[in-house]
Amino acid sequence: MDNKTFTSRLARALDIDPKDAAERLEAFAAVIAERTADLDTIAIPGFGNFTSTKHEESISTDLATGRRMLLPPQITVDFVPGSMLKKKVRHE
């Protein structure tokens, strides 16, 4: 499902204007990005958990050229679905 379709379905479910639904969705994504960048875990009951992990810089070697490269530190975000979400997906 693309973003436009998702936004319109969200607007119908909330009985709001699609523009308002898009703004709420953007705000939700911004909060998730902000908090996971600070390495916070976000738990949404009935939906799941967003967890972030910081990986320190490391040295990698390109196998084709043998050249060594310094990889900068990075933060990865994982999503673990909650049991209620898993249950709904399995039954529908």
Side-chain angles (χ1 to χ4, degrees):
M1 174 183 310
D2 64 4
N3 187 45
K4 186 175 180 180
T5 304
F6 179 73
T7 303
S8 66
R9 286 191 180 186
L10 180 63
R12 273 185 289 176
L14 295 174
D15 196 27
I16 61 174
D17 185 74
K19 183 179 176 185
D20 291 337
E23 289 173 359
R24 290 178 187 191
L25 193 55
E26 286 175 27
F28 174 76
V31 170
I32 297 289
E34 177 186 319
R35 299 314 320 149
T36 55
D38 288 340
L39 301 178
D40 286 345
T41 296
I42 300 167
I44 303 171
F47 186 68
N49 296 327
F50 293 90
T51 57
S52 54
T53 307
K54 182 174 183 177
H55 301 277
E56 299 298 328
E57 65 182 18
S58 61
I59 297 174
S60 177
T61 305
D62 184 340
L63 297 177
T65 64
R67 184 175 147 198
R68 295 175 58 154
M69 299 173 284
L70 180 63
L71 301 176
Q74 65 180 9
I75 295 173
T76 58
V77 178
D78 295 314
F79 175 73
V80 178
S83 59
M84 287 179 67
L85 179 61
K86 287 180 186 178
K87 190 186 243 183
K88 280 192 171 254
V89 170
R90 277 187 244 146
H91 289 105
E92 290 185 15

